[in-house]
Amino acid sequence: MYYAIISEDVEDSVAPRQEGREAHIARLEQLRDEGRLLLAGPHPAVDGEDAGPAGFTGSLVIAEFPSLDDARAWADADPYVQTGAYASVTVKPFKRVMP
């Protein structure tokens, strides 16, 4: 089943995001390579493609996991959690309807 991992950033998360970015992306690439990643990306703090110095306000990952507990464990181990970039993380089941 798919699960949505919805993360909210702390204020001024630019530095902790930079610190954890390489490891964060590597984990997403692993999900992609396993065919389990539906989509992933950050929420820019400004209305535009390039967040620039404004940074991001959070992230969304939708991926396939065997269970909600497995999805939560994966989310809890995210490098952005470890570096303090995320203030909170919500994990919930996601039902893909379209496309």
Side-chain angles (χ1 to χ4, degrees):
M1 175 164 203
Y2 283 111
Y3 295 89
I5 300 168
I6 307 147
S7 307
E8 297 292 331
D9 281 21
V10 297
E11 290 289 323
D12 194 22
S13 63
V14 173
R17 274 181 168 269
Q18 288 174 340
E19 182 183 341
R21 181 168 166 65
E22 186 176 328
H24 173 79
I25 296 297
R27 294 177 82 233
L28 292 171
E29 288 172 340
Q30 181 179 1
L31 286 177
R32 179 201 61 205
D33 294 348
E34 293 170 356
R36 297 171 44 205
L37 182 65
L38 184 61
L39 65 88
H43 302 286
V46 295
D47 186 13
E49 287 291 318
D50 182 7
F56 301 96
T57 62
S59 298
L60 172 64
V61 173
I62 300 178
E64 190 174 23
F65 292 93
S67 70
L68 180 58
D69 286 341
D70 289 323
R72 284 186 178 137
W74 188 91
D76 288 344
D78 192 293
Y80 285 169
V81 171
Q82 310 308 315
T83 63
Y86 288 158
S88 66
V89 178
T90 302
V91 181
K92 54 177 127 179
F94 177 81
K95 181 179 177 183
R96 181 179 180 176
V97 176
M98 289 188 205

